[in-house]
């Protein structure tokens, strides 16, 4: 083996549920590089912009490296003793339901398994829930209703084999980019038809043959109409239903109760477009319906899932190559969490908490003193119980609920008054760690060792290639140590993650014999060496019939996991979202991801390259709404709901329907003054899944009355007292957007203090410019000709070449003319301005792409790619390139 090969580790991306394989290489000097794993079944060597930037997110800056009690450094023994003692005391006095674990789809399966075992088997409560509740709980509930199990029937290959792919509430291009690449390639090769059902014209629409911009919350009406249409067109597979499913007539009766005109009114779609979709679906046997957060994050999320599955059951299009309903998960290990029972209403190994024989299987296997006999509190109810004092101690692992849960300000208040809060995290400073009594340092990606399961049931290893920093330890180890201190040590004596995985595999196999979907019994005896060498594999992998269980799809034989082994149709009467617009709250807020950030940005924001795509929280609004409300492009707006308010930059776009606005989910108090979008969202839950409605919040929006705007560049993270700020990493420093209600008395003094960073202004050479006619102030600071900072201030939004300026930190400006050019906010000759980054993979900016288009090398996205490389790796920026080409064509025609 060569030295180079020895340093390369096969691991798995820690971001989205596509679960791409990554080759991570660590050079002798510690430098890490990453590449897509050509042998991983999910990505075959591809990576998206986030995956490709993983090496840029590994710095220890901001890491939590030691246990802390009340903010003071302590040793592991003291911290773990305190956790075990406080949990034990509270359980003794108030019972097991007085404590809770709130865990995460970021945890590895082994961590998840131990957490679930400790809470459900040994503490004796089911008060363990996960942030996956916010992500795909409605899919879980919909699967269980229809299939009798939480089974994803298909696999990624189905998107490549299908003749029609319907994407519902899924911005695949930004949220599952490698899957989007696979679909795009299949479409180019074989002409796959693509229908996008989404209120927004997202980047995914670039490959859509038909986009249905339905009113949010109306999906059930659309798919009920589809079922009725399939029936009317005689496109139903009655023989298959007869043999394999129940409840068709009741579901059909409900579906037929709504005429097409009503569906058009409710969905806001034209009848012709609806019928075009219905006809496509009816005529295409090989149809896959992919759904994601736009379906799940709804007060009718489970019914939306059921309405989709009904159409697939009715046509027998399930479990077949290129046909089936397909839920894609947001997080890297949402599926692994489901497999070990990480949700409050499930048991380990896909067993049911309500099922006495399942409880007996698990309890006997664990040899635990008892087992939780009823579902615990789901995420939202869990934090309500923290707020009202029923839960007195909570252990939060690898998640940031102060930002990510709805009614986020109430969650913050609940944790603030909770008697005992433990947080295990990799970051020292998050909005949640700020409220912890005990902080436990966990391992990050690159240090962790375990497995994850992606959206197509493929289990892959995350392998370490970096040493554990400081005193950080694995989450499973922290849990096992607390279990030992609580008196359960003999049941948690694991030598490492391999032993946990083997136990998990054994439990999946016990008393199974094909009665449960989740079975990885083939690995029940996997030792450390086998675990280390584990190749990605799709479950099931049973012990008895290893070859037969290598099936890639479920339900091809028409046998489900319900008591009678038949699939279930579920009637889904349409109902309105939980809240409606009113005179006070006239717009509907939608929330979601952006291409280059992950969750609350604790990792992805460490990459200056990723921050260059969208560096500031923004609100998308239709130009007509903006005009009506007196909102101007690039100004700031305050968005308010019944629960809170945020401030964000206005982005006027026809991608947004009138009456709707969109704000990304990522920004926290760590990166912006007031942009925690979930502080706006009400905790309205799906009654079956308990998933909150994150995509339909009535809001109002008004101009933020800024007296001045600023853009700053600093070597160190700047500190502001202005009413609005948003910071982002830049190359060698930080960039910041600023605004205030009142201008400082002395801009020169303010600029010097800001640009000095550490307070020392000696040796700082500050060039200043004031334009009396426009009221603009501009400052640039140099040390030995090197640019160390800049500040641009204006009564209107600052108009400078931000991305060029952000790249100039530490650059040499010896000539006076160059310095003044910089102050003018323009790129000097010989230092071209790339413009805002469009292609993060190859760092190709807007300016470069426009040049390629104008130069004749860019009549198509492919031609721009050939000229600039933009869009030729992950493909997530292809839609933006397409928009630029379209705009250029319009400008030329005009
Ligand atoms: Fe990671 Fe991107 Fe693959 Fe998702 S698509 S797993 S974020 S590389």
């Amino acid at each position: 083996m060569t030295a180079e090969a020895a340093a390369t580790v096969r691991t798995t991306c820690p971001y989205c549920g596509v679960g791409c394989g990554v080759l991570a290489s660590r050079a002798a000097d510690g430098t890490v590089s990453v590449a897509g794993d050509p042998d991983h079944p999910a990505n075959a060597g591809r990576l998206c912009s986030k995956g490709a930037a993983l090496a840029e997110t590994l710095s220890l800056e901001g890491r939590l490296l030691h246990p802390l009690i009340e903010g003071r450094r302590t040793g592991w023994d003291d911290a773990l003793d305190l956790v075990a003692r406080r949990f034990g005391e509270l359980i003794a006095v108030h019972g097991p339901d007085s404590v809770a674990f709130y865990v995460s789809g970021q945890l590895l399966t082994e961590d998840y398994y131990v957490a679930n075992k400790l809470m459900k088997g040994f503490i004796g409560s089911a008060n363990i829930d996960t942030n996956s509740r916010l992500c795909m709980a409605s899919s879980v509930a919909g699967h269980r209703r229809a299939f009798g199990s939480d089974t994803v029937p298909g696999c990624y290959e189905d998107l490549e084999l299908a003749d029609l792919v319907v994407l519902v509430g899924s911005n695949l291009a930004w949220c599952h980019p490698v899957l989007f690449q696979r679909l795009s390639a299949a479409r180019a090769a074989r002409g796959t038809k693509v229908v996008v059902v989404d209120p927004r014209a997202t980047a995914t629409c670039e490959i859509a043959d038909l986009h249905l911009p339905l009113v949010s919350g109306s999906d059930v009406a659309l798919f009920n109409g589809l079922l009725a249409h399939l029936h009317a067109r005689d496109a139903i597979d009655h023989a298959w239903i007869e043999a394999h499913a129940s409840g068709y007539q009741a579901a059909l009766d409900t579906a037929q109760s709504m005429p097409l005109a009503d569906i058009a009114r409710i969905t806001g779609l034209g009848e012709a477009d609806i019928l075009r979709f219905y006809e496509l679906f009816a005529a295409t046997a090989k149809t896959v319906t992919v759904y994601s957060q736009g379906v799940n994050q709804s007060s009718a999320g489970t019914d939306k899932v059921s309405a989709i599955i009904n159409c697939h059951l009715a046509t027998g299009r399930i479990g077949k190559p290129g046909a089936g309903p397909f839920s894609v998960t947001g997080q890297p290990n949402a599926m692994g969490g489901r497999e070990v029972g990480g949700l409050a209403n499930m048991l380990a190994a896909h067993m049911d908490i309500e099922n006495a024989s399942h409880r007996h299987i698990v309890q006997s296997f664990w040899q635990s003193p008892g087992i939780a006999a009823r579902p615990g509190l789901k995420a939202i109810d869990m934090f309500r119980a923290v707020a009202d004092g029923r839960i007195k101690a909570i252990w939060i692992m690898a998640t940031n609920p102060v930002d990510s849960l709805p009614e986020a300000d109430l969650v913050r208040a609940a944790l603030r008054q909770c008697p005992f809060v433990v947080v295990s995290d990799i970051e020292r400073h998050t909005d949640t760690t700020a409220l912890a009594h005990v902080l436990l340092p966990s391992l990050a990606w690159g240090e962790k060792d375990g497995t994850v399961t992606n959206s197509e049931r493929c289990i892959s290893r995350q392998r370490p290639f970096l040493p554990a920093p400081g005193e950080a330890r694995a989450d499973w180890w922290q849990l096992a140590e607390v279990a030992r201190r609580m008196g359960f040590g003999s049941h948690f004596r694991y030598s490492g993650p391999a032993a946990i995985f083997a136990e998990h595999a054994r439990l999946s196999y016990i008393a199974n014999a094909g009665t449960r979907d989740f079975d990885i019994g083939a690995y029940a005896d996997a030792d450390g060496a086998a675990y280390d060498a584990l190749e990605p594999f799709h479950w099931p992998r049973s012990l008895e019939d290893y070859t037969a269980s290598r099936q890639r799809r479920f339900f091809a034989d028409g046998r489900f996991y319900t008591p009678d082994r038949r699939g279930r149709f579920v009637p889904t009467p349409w109902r309105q979202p939980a809240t409606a617009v009113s005179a006070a709250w006239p717009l509907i807020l939608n929330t979601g991801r952006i291409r280059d950030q992950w969750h609350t940005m604790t990792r992805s924001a460490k990459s200056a390259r990723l921050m260059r795509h969208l560096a500031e929280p923004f609100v998308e609004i239709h130009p007509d709404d903006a005009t009506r409300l007196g909102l101007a492009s690039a100004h700031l707006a305050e968005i308010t709901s019944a629960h809170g308010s945020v401030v964000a930059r206005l982005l006027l776009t026809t991608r947004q329907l009138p009456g709707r606005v969109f704000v990304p989910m990522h920004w926290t108090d760590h990166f912006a003054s007031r942009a925690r979008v979930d502080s706006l969202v009400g905790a309205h839950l799906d009654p079956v899944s308990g998933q909150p409605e994150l995509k339909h919040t009535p809001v109002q929006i008004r101009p933020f009355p800024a007296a001045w705007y600023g853009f700053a560049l600093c070597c160190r993270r700047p500190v502001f007292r202005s009413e609005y700020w948003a910071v982002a990493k830049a190359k060698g420093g930080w960039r910041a957007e600023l605004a205030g209600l009142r201008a400082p008395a002395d801009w020169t003094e303010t600029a010097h203090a800001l640009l000095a960073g550490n307070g020392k202004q000696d040796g700082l050479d500050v060039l200043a410019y004031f334009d009396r006619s426009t009221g603009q102030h501009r400052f640039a600071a140099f040390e030995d000709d090197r640019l160390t900072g800049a500040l641009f201030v204006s009564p209107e939004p600052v108009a400078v070449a931000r991305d060029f300026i952000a790249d100039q930190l530490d650059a040499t400006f010896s000539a006076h003319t160059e310095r003044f050019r910089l102050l003018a906010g323009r790129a000097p000759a010989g230092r071209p301005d790339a413009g805002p980054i469009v292609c993060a993979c190859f760092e190709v900016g807007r300016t470069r792409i426009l040049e390629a288009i104008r130069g004749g090398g860019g009549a198509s996205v492919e031609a721009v790619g050939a000229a600039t490389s933009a869009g030729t790796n992950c493909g997530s920026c292809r839609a933006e390139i397409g928009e630029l080409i379209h705009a250029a064509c319009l400008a030329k025609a005009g």
Side-chain angles (χ1 to χ4, degrees):
M1 186 181 287
T2 65
E4 188 185 328
T8 298
V9 168
R10 288 182 73 195
T11 184
T12 311
C13 177
Y15 293 129
C16 83
V18 179
C20 296
V22 174
L23 299 177
S25 305
R26 188 162 175 257
D29 65 358
T31 312
V32 172
S33 58
V34 298
D37 181 350
D39 297 324
H40 196 285
N43 57 320
R46 301 174 180 93
L47 288 179
C48 76
S49 50
K50 289 188 289 290
L54 273 166
E56 297 158 35
T57 64
L58 301 175
S59 95
L60 296 183
E61 184 183 349
R63 278 290 295 271
L64 174 65
L65 296 174
H66 307 283
L68 303 177
I69 295 176
E70 303 289 357
R72 286 186 297 280
R73 182 172 168 178
T74 187
W76 271 110
D77 278 336
D78 286 349
L80 295 168
D81 284 349
L82 179 62
V83 174
R85 194 180 75 241
R86 291 288 282 138
F87 268 68
E89 287 168 356
L90 289 164
I91 292 165
V93 176
H94 302 285
D97 287 337
S98 66
V99 301
F101 293 168
Y102 185 60
V103 298
S104 160
Q106 309 294 314
L107 289 179
L108 303 183
T109 299
E110 292 74 5
D111 303 320
Y112 246 131
Y113 178 87
V114 177
N116 187 52
K117 178 177 174 180
L118 175 57
M119 180 54 81
K120 292 199 178 117
F122 289 83
I123 289 176
S125 168
N127 280 349
I128 172 169
D129 210 41
T130 157
N131 63 1
S132 297
R133 180 71 59 192
L134 313 175
C135 170
M136 40 78 273
S138 297
S139 283
V140 174
H143 291 161
R144 294 176 83 198
R145 288 205 306 202
F147 311 145
S149 58
D150 174 24
T151 313
V152 173
C155 55
Y156 294 160
E157 188 187 38
D158 289 330
L159 275 71
E160 295 164 328
L161 299 175
D163 294 321
L164 170 65
V165 174
V166 184
L167 297 159
V168 192
S170 166
N171 183 5
L172 208 69
W174 280 18
C175 302
H176 300 91
V178 166
L179 207 48
F180 179 74
Q181 286 178 51
R182 288 181 61 168
L183 173 59
S184 300
R187 181 174 178 270
R190 63 196 301 279
T192 315
K193 291 272 184 272
V194 175
V195 175
V196 173
V197 181
D198 196 309
R200 300 169 67 214
T202 63
T204 304
C205 292
E206 188 224 346
I207 62 164
D209 297 281
L210 175 64
H211 172 216
L212 298 176
L214 82 178
V215 168
S216 63
S218 63
D219 314 51
V220 167
L222 183 70
F223 281 89
N224 278 352
L226 174 59
L227 183 63
H229 183 85
L230 293 169
H231 184 84
R233 282 272 276 101
D234 203 18
I236 301 295
D237 190 338
H238 291 286
W240 191 91
I241 294 173
E242 180 73 21
H244 303 301
S246 322
Y248 173 63
Q249 192 57 50
L252 180 65
D253 289 348
T254 301
Q256 287 177 324
S257 66
M258 189 174 283
L260 181 63
D262 284 359
I263 295 168
R265 179 180 49 77
I266 289 166
T267 58
L269 301 171
E271 291 187 17
D273 282 343
I274 294 173
L275 286 174
R276 197 174 148 210
F277 165 50
Y278 289 178
E279 283 295 306
L280 254 179
F281 196 105
T284 315
K286 285 188 167 184
T287 294
V288 172
T289 305
V290 174
Y291 49 95
S292 188
Q293 269 64 321
V295 165
N296 295 329
Q297 293 176 338
S298 162
S299 59
T302 308
D303 280 356
K304 288 183 184 180
V305 172
S306 292
I308 291 168
I309 292 175
N310 284 346
C311 295
H312 280 270
L313 292 177
T315 48
R317 295 175 190 164
I318 189 163
K320 296 173 180 165
F326 201 135
S327 148
V328 285
T329 56
Q331 297 197 76
N333 201 28
M335 293 280 278
R338 286 147 75 165
E339 289 153 16
V340 301
L343 291 160
N345 53 326
M346 291 174 76
L347 266 188
H350 276 200
M351 283 184 262
D352 299 332
I353 204 163
E354 299 91 347
N355 183 320
S357 84
H358 284 180
R359 291 199 304 273
H360 177 71
I361 293 169
V362 178
Q363 185 185 352
S364 310
F365 179 77
W366 283 343
Q367 297 187 339
S368 57
I371 192 148
R374 57 188 163 87
L377 295 170
K378 299 182 182 119
I380 309 305
D381 291 332
M382 180 181 284
F383 282 87
R384 283 175 177 155
V386 172
D388 67 23
R390 280 173 291 149
I391 287 178
K392 299 170 196 320
I394 187 165
W395 188 350
I396 298 164
M397 299 169 216
T399 185
N400 198 355
V402 168
D403 297 317
S404 53
L405 283 174
E407 297 182 15
D409 289 343
L410 291 184
V411 172
R412 174 178 270 165
L415 286 175
R416 196 168 270 146
Q417 50 92 58
C418 182
F420 193 56
V421 178
V422 183
V423 178
S424 296
D425 209 304
I426 63 169
E427 286 296 301
R428 171 65 185 88
H429 296 289
T430 73
D431 293 337
T432 299
T433 60
L435 303 170
H437 298 97
V438 180
L439 266 177
L440 303 176
S442 296
L443 298 177
W445 184 79
E447 301 150 13
K448 289 181 174 198
D449 192 5
T451 56
V452 290
T453 309
N454 72 5
S455 297
E456 61 163 353
R457 294 176 275 100
C458 180
I459 295 179
S460 306
R461 291 277 277 109
Q462 268 195 23
R463 295 184 172 92
F465 54 88
L466 295 170
E471 294 179 90
R473 300 295 302 257
D475 292 279
W476 69 260
W477 178 87
Q478 300 171 26
L479 285 151
E481 282 296 308
V482 168
R484 182 169 69 79
R485 286 163 166 82
M486 293 178 78
F488 311 126
S490 61
H491 302 275
F492 290 84
R493 207 169 279 139
Y494 298 113
S495 54
I500 303 168
F501 183 77
E503 181 178 310
H504 167 50
R506 281 197 296 282
L507 177 55
S508 76
Y509 157 75
I510 298 242
N512 190 332
T515 59
R516 304 191 305 270
D517 63 341
F518 183 72
D519 184 348
I520 56 169
Y523 301 94
D525 295 321
D527 58 13
Y531 185 71
D532 283 346
L534 196 70
E535 291 289 326
F537 71 94
H538 296 80
W539 63 258
R541 282 285 176 95
S542 70
L543 183 59
E544 290 94 352
D545 196 353
Y546 184 85
T547 308
S549 72
R550 290 174 72 109
Q551 66 185 39
R552 295 290 297 276
R553 297 172 184 85
F554 276 90
F555 312 136
D557 60 359
R559 284 173 63 76
F560 295 85
Y561 292 96
T562 51
D564 60 4
R565 304 305 298 255
R566 296 172 73 84
R568 296 259 188 273
F569 286 91
V570 179
T572 52
W574 175 77
R575 61 181 188 275
Q576 294 274 8
T579 47
V581 293
S582 62
W585 314 113
L587 299 165
I588 291 299
L589 167 74
N590 186 0
T591 66
R593 295 191 161 125
I594 60 172
R595 192 188 75 191
D596 288 353
Q597 292 304 323
W598 181 254
H599 280 199
T600 55
M601 297 166 64
T602 48
R603 288 173 289 166
S604 50
K606 287 186 171 180
S607 164
R609 183 158 61 113
L610 292 181
M611 287 308 304
R612 282 187 58 168
H613 180 231
L614 291 162
E616 186 185 16
F618 61 90
V619 51
E620 280 185 359
I621 186 167
H622 192 278
D624 293 349
D625 284 334
T627 304
R628 190 169 47 81
L629 296 164
L631 302 165
S633 179
H635 285 62
L636 293 168
E638 184 170 29
I639 307 108
T640 307
S641 76
H643 307 283
S645 72
V646 303
V647 178
R649 187 74 58 179
L650 280 156
L651 190 62
L652 276 52
T653 171
T654 52
R655 289 192 296 267
Q656 203 62 40
L657 286 174
R660 319 269 140 176
V661 296
F662 173 85
V663 177
M665 60 184 261
H666 306 288
W667 271 267
T668 68
D669 284 354
H670 202 59
F671 296 102
S673 52
R674 194 151 47 106
R676 292 164 53 246
V677 72
D678 285 315
S679 66
L680 298 176
V681 176
H684 304 290
L685 309 184
D686 178 280
V688 184
S689 69
Q691 183 153 358
E693 188 152 69
L694 296 170
K695 298 208 177 277
H696 189 97
T697 302
V699 296
Q700 58 170 258
I701 179 167
R702 61 175 176 231
F704 178 78
W708 61 272
Y709 292 83
F711 173 70
L713 187 67
C714 302
C715 291
R716 297 170 197 84
R717 186 185 159 114
V719 179
F720 308 103
R721 290 191 189 84
S722 57
E723 285 81 4
Y724 174 81
W725 56 264
V727 294
K729 274 271 188 189
K731 276 182 190 159
W734 293 81
R735 58 192 284 178
E737 299 288 345
L738 309 166
L741 300 177
R742 282 168 299 282
D746 185 339
W747 272 115
T748 301
E749 194 178 296
T750 302
H752 277 251
L754 180 73
L755 298 177
N758 61 1
K760 281 196 286 177
Q761 298 181 18
D762 303 344
L764 201 65
D765 178 9
V766 177
L767 185 64
Y769 171 79
F770 173 52
D771 183 335
R772 199 174 294 277
S773 64
T774 61
Q776 294 184 15
H777 297 263
R778 299 182 172 208
F779 304 88
F782 301 89
E783 271 181 37
D784 303 327
D785 289 347
R786 287 181 311 103
L787 181 75
T788 59
L791 174 65
F792 300 82
V793 180
S794 168
E796 293 294 313
V798 172
V800 293
R802 283 172 166 69
D803 295 282
F804 163 73
I805 291 165
D807 278 348
Q808 303 310 309
L809 265 184
D810 228 19
T812 304
F813 288 80
S814 34
H816 234 65
T817 48
E818 281 191 353
R819 292 186 176 195
F820 273 107
R821 236 188 139 87
L822 180 81
L823 269 197
R826 295 195 302 272
R831 294 188 193 185
D833 173 17
I837 286 291
V838 175
C839 172
C841 298
F842 295 109
E843 290 198 79
V844 185
R846 194 171 190 271
T847 312
R848 175 82 187 87
I849 290 169
L850 289 175
E851 279 170 8
I853 295 169
R854 280 195 293 268
S860 67
V861 175
E862 286 69 29
V864 168
T868 67
S869 297
T872 59
N873 184 35
C874 79
S876 307
C877 61
R878 290 171 61 87
E880 281 171 85
I881 298 170
E883 278 180 23
L884 291 174
I885 293 170
H886 184 62
C889 290
L890 287 180
K892 205 169 171 184

